[in-house]
Amino acid sequence: MANTPQAKKRIRRNERRAEINGIRVGRIRTFVKKVEAALASGDKPAATEALAAVQPELARGVARGVIHRNTASRKFARLTKALSSLA
């Protein structure tokens, strides 16, 4: 258990940040799932639109330190590749 006031404050802050970061990661996952659903249905215009929406979300996640830069890049590259293979 934390003894110092600083350690107690860190515990409170870490709980708040974990909740906020979880919301941010969930938001990114939702956007990615929209792209994947459009790809699965074969709807190229909807997938293109969803992909355009997911790119800034991934970039925002990287900027906020929620996901790693390479993870965001990999996700976007795989979604782009799947979209381009949809004919």
Side-chain angles (χ1 to χ4, degrees):
M1 184 62 199
N3 291 322
T4 65
Q6 180 183 8
K8 290 176 183 176
K9 182 178 178 180
R10 292 291 284 190
I11 289 170
R12 289 195 310 268
R13 192 209 58 146
N14 288 344
E15 287 173 354
R16 282 197 308 267
R17 298 312 308 170
E19 185 178 348
I20 291 167
N21 288 342
I23 290 167
R24 286 183 174 146
V25 171
R27 182 176 164 90
I28 292 168
R29 279 199 199 113
T30 302
F31 276 83
V32 170
K33 284 179 185 177
K34 285 180 185 177
V35 177
E36 290 171 345
L39 288 170
S41 67
D43 190 3
K44 193 164 186 172
T48 305
E49 187 177 318
L51 186 67
V54 83
Q55 199 273 335
E57 286 298 322
L58 288 171
R60 193 171 295 121
V62 170
R64 302 285 190 258
V66 174
I67 57 174
H68 195 273
R69 178 175 25 115
N70 293 350
T71 304
S73 179
R74 183 182 67 241
K75 285 182 184 295
F76 189 69
R78 287 180 179 173
L79 291 172
T80 305
K81 184 178 179 181
L83 179 64
S84 67
S85 68
L86 193 68

